[in-house]
Amino acid sequence: MLKGADDVVTEQEDSASRHGEITSWDINDIKLPQDVRQIDWFQEWPDSYVKHIYSSEDKNAQRHHSSWAMRNTNNHNSRILKKSCLGVVVCGNDCSTLDGRKIYLRPAICDKARQKQQRKCCPNCNGPLRLLSCRGHGGYPVTNFWRHEGQFIFFQSKGAHDHPRPETKLEAEARRSSQKAQTAFSPSSPRLKRIQETESLTGAMPTREALPLLLSKPDVYVLPANFGGRL
Protein backbone atom coordinates (compact mmCIF):
# COMPACT_ATOMS: atom_id res chain seq x y z
CA MET A 1 0.00 0.00 0.00
CA LEU A 2 1.41 3.34 -1.05
CA LYS A 3 1.85 6.00 1.58
CA GLY A 4 0.24 9.38 1.12
CA ALA A 5 2.10 12.65 1.20
CA ASP A 6 0.73 13.46 4.65
CA ASP A 7 2.00 10.12 6.02
CA VAL A 8 5.48 10.75 4.62
CA VAL A 9 5.60 14.22 6.13
CA THR A 10 4.44 12.88 9.49
CA GLU A 11 7.14 10.18 9.51
CA GLN A 12 9.79 12.76 8.63
CA GLU A 13 8.62 15.01 11.44
CA ASP A 14 8.66 12.13 13.91
CA SER A 15 12.14 11.11 12.80
CA ALA A 16 13.38 14.69 13.09
CA SER A 17 11.82 14.94 16.53
CA ARG A 18 13.52 11.73 17.71
CA HIS A 19 16.81 12.89 16.19
CA GLY A 20 16.45 16.23 17.96
CA GLU A 21 15.88 14.53 21.29
CA ILE A 22 18.95 12.38 20.82
CA THR A 23 21.30 15.17 19.72
CA SER A 24 20.02 17.79 22.15
CA TRP A 25 21.84 16.21 25.09
CA ASP A 26 25.03 17.57 26.61
CA ILE A 27 27.70 15.47 28.24
CA ASN A 28 27.15 17.35 31.54
CA ASP A 29 23.41 16.64 31.72
CA ILE A 30 22.19 14.88 34.84
CA LYS A 31 20.43 12.27 32.71
CA LEU A 32 21.36 11.18 29.21
CA PRO A 33 18.90 9.63 26.73
CA GLN A 34 18.48 5.86 26.96
CA ASP A 35 15.77 5.44 24.32
CA VAL A 36 18.37 5.20 21.56
CA ARG A 37 17.15 3.28 18.53
CA GLN A 38 20.28 3.59 16.42
CA ILE A 39 23.87 3.76 17.62
CA ASP A 40 26.73 5.33 15.68
CA TRP A 41 29.66 3.69 13.95
CA PHE A 42 32.89 4.40 15.79
CA GLN A 43 34.74 7.50 14.55
CA GLU A 44 38.52 7.29 14.60
CA TRP A 45 39.07 10.97 13.70
CA PRO A 46 36.25 12.92 15.38
CA ASP A 47 36.49 16.60 14.54
CA SER A 48 34.52 19.79 15.14
CA TYR A 49 31.62 20.04 17.59
CA VAL A 50 30.16 16.55 17.27
CA LYS A 51 28.31 14.03 19.44
CA HIS A 52 28.18 10.27 19.09
CA ILE A 53 26.43 7.48 20.94
CA TYR A 54 28.25 4.15 20.87
CA SER A 55 27.34 0.74 22.18
CA SER A 56 28.83 -0.10 25.57
CA GLU A 57 30.21 -3.27 23.90
CA ASP A 58 32.21 -1.30 21.32
CA LYS A 59 35.87 -2.11 22.07
CA ASN A 60 37.22 1.16 20.68
CA ALA A 61 34.71 3.16 22.69
CA GLN A 62 35.58 1.19 25.81
CA ARG A 63 39.23 2.15 25.33
CA HIS A 64 38.27 5.78 24.54
CA HIS A 65 40.33 5.38 21.40
CA SER A 66 41.20 8.28 19.13
CA SER A 67 43.80 8.63 16.40
CA TRP A 68 44.33 12.21 17.51
CA ALA A 69 47.02 12.50 20.18
CA MET A 70 44.83 12.93 23.26
CA ARG A 71 45.82 12.87 26.93
CA ASN A 72 43.73 12.69 30.07
CA THR A 73 42.89 16.04 31.65
CA ASN A 74 41.84 16.72 35.21
CA ASN A 75 38.07 16.85 35.53
CA HIS A 76 35.95 17.56 38.59
CA ASN A 77 33.22 15.16 37.45
CA SER A 78 34.34 11.59 38.09
CA ARG A 79 31.61 10.25 35.76
CA ILE A 80 33.08 12.03 32.74
CA LEU A 81 36.47 11.33 31.19
CA LYS A 82 38.03 14.45 29.71
CA LYS A 83 40.82 14.38 27.14
CA SER A 84 42.71 17.22 25.45
CA CYS A 85 44.57 17.24 22.13
CA LEU A 86 48.36 17.58 22.13
CA GLY A 87 48.67 18.62 18.48
CA VAL A 88 51.32 17.22 16.15
CA VAL A 89 55.13 17.21 15.88
CA VAL A 90 56.35 18.54 12.52
CA CYS A 91 59.69 19.03 10.78
CA GLY A 92 61.13 22.51 11.24
CA ASN A 93 62.41 22.39 7.65
CA ASP A 94 58.97 21.40 6.33
CA CYS A 95 60.60 18.57 4.37
CA SER A 96 58.84 15.89 2.35
CA THR A 97 59.58 12.19 1.87
CA LEU A 98 60.35 10.66 -1.51
CA ASP A 99 56.67 9.93 -2.05
CA GLY A 100 55.69 13.51 -1.23
CA ARG A 101 54.43 13.01 2.32
CA LYS A 102 55.04 15.47 5.14
CA ILE A 103 56.43 14.54 8.55
CA TYR A 104 53.59 14.52 11.07
CA LEU A 105 54.79 12.64 14.16
CA ARG A 106 52.65 11.68 17.11
CA PRO A 107 53.46 13.74 20.23
CA ALA A 108 54.48 11.85 23.34
CA ILE A 109 51.89 11.85 26.13
CA CYS A 110 54.32 12.58 28.99
CA ASP A 111 55.54 16.18 29.23
CA LYS A 112 59.20 15.21 29.74
CA ALA A 113 59.07 12.68 26.90
CA ARG A 114 57.50 15.30 24.63
CA GLN A 115 60.24 17.80 25.45
CA LYS A 116 62.87 15.16 24.75
CA GLN A 117 61.11 14.30 21.50
CA GLN A 118 61.46 17.88 20.26
CA ARG A 119 65.23 17.76 20.83
CA LYS A 120 65.54 14.88 18.39
CA CYS A 121 66.08 15.19 14.65
CA CYS A 122 63.59 14.71 11.85
CA PRO A 123 63.68 11.04 10.73
CA ASN A 124 63.60 12.18 7.10
CA CYS A 125 66.04 15.10 6.81
CA ASN A 126 67.70 15.22 10.27
CA GLY A 127 66.37 18.74 10.69
CA PRO A 128 64.88 20.13 13.92
CA LEU A 129 61.48 19.00 15.16
CA ARG A 130 58.88 21.33 16.65
CA LEU A 131 55.53 20.87 18.34
CA LEU A 132 52.49 22.34 16.61
CA SER A 133 50.04 22.72 19.49
CA CYS A 134 46.29 22.39 19.11
CA ARG A 135 44.38 25.67 19.58
CA GLY A 136 41.09 24.72 17.98
CA HIS A 137 38.80 25.41 20.94
CA GLY A 138 38.87 29.18 21.36
CA GLY A 139 42.65 29.22 21.62
CA TYR A 140 42.71 26.10 23.79
CA PRO A 141 43.17 22.44 22.78
CA VAL A 142 40.24 20.51 21.37
CA THR A 143 38.57 18.57 24.18
CA ASN A 144 36.87 15.17 24.03
CA PHE A 145 34.46 13.88 26.66
CA TRP A 146 33.50 10.25 27.34
CA ARG A 147 30.72 9.04 29.60
CA HIS A 148 29.36 5.53 30.23
CA GLU A 149 25.63 5.43 30.92
CA GLY A 150 23.67 2.16 30.87
CA GLN A 151 24.06 0.34 27.56
CA PHE A 152 25.71 3.27 25.80
CA ILE A 153 28.92 5.26 25.74
CA PHE A 154 28.37 8.94 25.02
CA PHE A 155 31.03 10.97 23.25
CA GLN A 156 31.20 14.72 22.73
CA SER A 157 33.91 16.78 21.07
CA LYS A 158 34.31 20.51 21.56
CA GLY A 159 36.52 22.42 19.12
CA ALA A 160 37.90 21.86 15.61
CA HIS A 161 41.49 20.69 15.16
CA ASP A 162 43.58 23.44 13.54
CA HIS A 163 46.55 21.24 12.65
CA PRO A 164 47.32 18.21 10.43
CA ARG A 165 46.53 14.69 11.55
CA PRO A 166 49.44 12.97 13.29
CA GLU A 167 50.52 9.45 12.52
CA THR A 168 48.39 6.79 14.23
CA LYS A 169 49.66 4.73 17.15
CA LEU A 170 50.26 1.73 14.87
CA GLU A 171 52.17 3.87 12.37
CA ALA A 172 54.29 5.35 15.18
CA GLU A 173 55.14 1.89 16.53
CA ALA A 174 56.04 0.63 13.06
CA ARG A 175 58.28 3.65 12.45
CA ARG A 176 60.12 3.19 15.77
CA SER A 177 60.61 -0.52 15.10
CA SER A 178 62.03 0.24 11.67
CA GLN A 179 64.41 2.84 13.11
CA LYS A 180 65.62 0.41 15.78
CA ALA A 181 66.28 -2.26 13.14
CA GLN A 182 68.25 0.17 10.98
CA THR A 183 70.30 1.35 13.96
CA ALA A 184 71.02 -2.19 15.15
CA PHE A 185 72.47 -3.29 11.81
CA SER A 186 74.22 -0.11 10.72
CA PRO A 187 77.99 -0.51 9.95
CA SER A 188 78.94 1.36 13.14
CA SER A 189 76.48 -0.33 15.49
CA PRO A 190 77.93 -2.28 18.45
CA ARG A 191 75.47 -5.11 17.82
CA LEU A 192 76.75 -5.72 14.29
CA LYS A 193 80.34 -5.66 15.52
CA ARG A 194 79.53 -8.28 18.17
CA ILE A 195 77.95 -10.50 15.50
CA GLN A 196 81.05 -10.20 13.31
CA GLU A 197 83.35 -11.03 16.23
CA THR A 198 81.26 -14.07 17.14
CA GLU A 199 81.35 -15.36 13.55
CA SER A 200 85.11 -14.90 13.48
CA LEU A 201 85.66 -16.79 16.74
CA THR A 202 83.38 -19.67 15.83
CA GLY A 203 84.88 -20.06 12.38
CA ALA A 204 81.65 -19.39 10.60
CA MET A 205 83.30 -17.06 8.11
CA PRO A 206 86.92 -15.89 8.36
CA THR A 207 87.19 -12.13 8.09
CA ARG A 208 89.72 -10.31 5.93
CA GLU A 209 91.77 -9.51 9.01
CA ALA A 210 92.20 -13.27 9.69
CA LEU A 211 93.43 -14.19 6.21
CA PRO A 212 97.06 -12.96 6.68
CA LEU A 213 97.35 -15.17 9.75
CA LEU A 214 96.42 -18.23 7.71
CA LEU A 215 98.89 -17.40 4.95
CA SER A 216 101.70 -16.87 7.47
CA LYS A 217 101.67 -20.55 8.56
CA PRO A 218 104.25 -22.40 6.37
CA ASP A 219 103.23 -25.89 7.45
CA VAL A 220 99.85 -25.41 5.84
CA TYR A 221 101.36 -24.99 2.41
CA VAL A 222 104.31 -27.51 2.49
CA LEU A 223 104.46 -29.35 -0.85
CA PRO A 224 104.89 -33.14 -1.10
CA ALA A 225 108.43 -34.42 -1.73
CA ASN A 226 107.42 -36.17 -4.97
CA PHE A 227 105.65 -33.10 -6.35
CA GLY A 228 107.07 -32.47 -9.86
CA GLY A 229 104.99 -29.56 -10.99
CA ARG A 230 105.68 -25.88 -10.88
CA LEU A 231 103.89 -23.17 -9.03
Side-chain angles (χ1 to χ4, degrees), residues 212-230:
L213 297 177
L214 294 175
L215 296 176
S216 62
K217 295 181 179 180
D219 56 333
V220 178
Y221 297 95
V222 174
L223 298 178
N226 59 351
F227 181 76
R230 292 186 302 170

Side-chain angles (χ1 to χ4, degrees), residues 7-175:
D7 296 333
V8 173
V9 172
T10 301
E11 287 185 358
Q12 291 176 349
E13 290 177 349
D14 292 341
S15 177
S17 177
R18 290 194 300 270
H19 181 72
E21 291 177 356
I22 293 176
T23 58
S24 62
W25 58 269
D26 185 84
I27 201 72
N28 293 303
D29 290 345
I30 297 177
K31 292 184 178 181
L32 293 176
Q34 293 296 314
D35 185 19
V36 181
R37 300 185 181 182
Q38 184 175 358
I39 59 176
D40 297 322
W41 290 101
F42 186 82
Q43 301 297 314
E44 185 180 1
W45 298 97
D47 203 353
S48 190
Y49 294 82
V50 296
K51 301 175 186 178
H52 295 292
I53 302 177
Y54 302 121
S55 168
S56 60
E57 297 180 357
D58 190 310
K59 298 299 182 182
N60 287 320
Q62 291 176 1
R63 295 186 293 110
H64 313 119
H65 172 71
S66 176
S67 285
W68 299 103
M70 311 292 294
R71 71 169 176 180
N72 293 352
T73 309
N74 292 334
N75 190 19
H76 298 293
N77 192 337
S78 60
R79 300 173 62 187
I80 301 174
L81 175 64
K82 181 181 178 182
K83 289 194 168 188
S84 298
C85 181
L86 292 171
V88 61
V89 175
V90 300
C91 174
N93 295 334
D94 194 29
C95 70
S96 300
T97 60
L98 295 177
D99 54 0
R101 293 182 300 168
K102 293 293 184 180
I103 302 300
Y104 297 138
L105 305 183
R106 191 174 191 84
I109 300 299
C110 176
D111 292 338
K112 291 184 179 180
R114 194 163 56 255
Q115 294 173 1
K116 183 178 179 181
Q117 182 183 25
Q118 296 175 66
R119 293 194 294 267
K120 295 182 178 180
C121 298
C122 171
N124 184 58
C125 71
N126 290 327
L129 293 175
R130 67 185 183 93
L131 176 65
L132 190 61
S133 300
C134 181
R135 295 288 182 265
H137 187 203
Y140 294 93
V142 171
T143 308
N144 290 348
F145 300 88
W146 298 86
R147 180 173 168 182
H148 295 235
E149 287 290 337
Q151 299 179 351
F152 307 103
I153 298 177
F154 293 82
F155 170 85
Q156 185 173 1
S157 175
K158 296 183 179 181
H161 296 275
D162 58 347
H163 55 85
R165 293 180 176 182
E167 59 187 351
T168 64
K169 292 181 180 179
L170 292 178
E171 291 171 342
E173 292 174 0
R175 174 178 56 80

Side-chain angles (χ1 to χ4, degrees), residues 185 191-210:
F185 292 97
R191 183 179 179 184
L192 184 59
K193 288 181 179 180
R194 288 196 300 269
I195 294 176
Q196 292 175 341
E197 291 173 357
T198 301
E199 290 178 347
S200 177
L201 293 173
T202 56
M205 179 64 70
T207 60
R208 292 185 178 182
E209 292 78 9

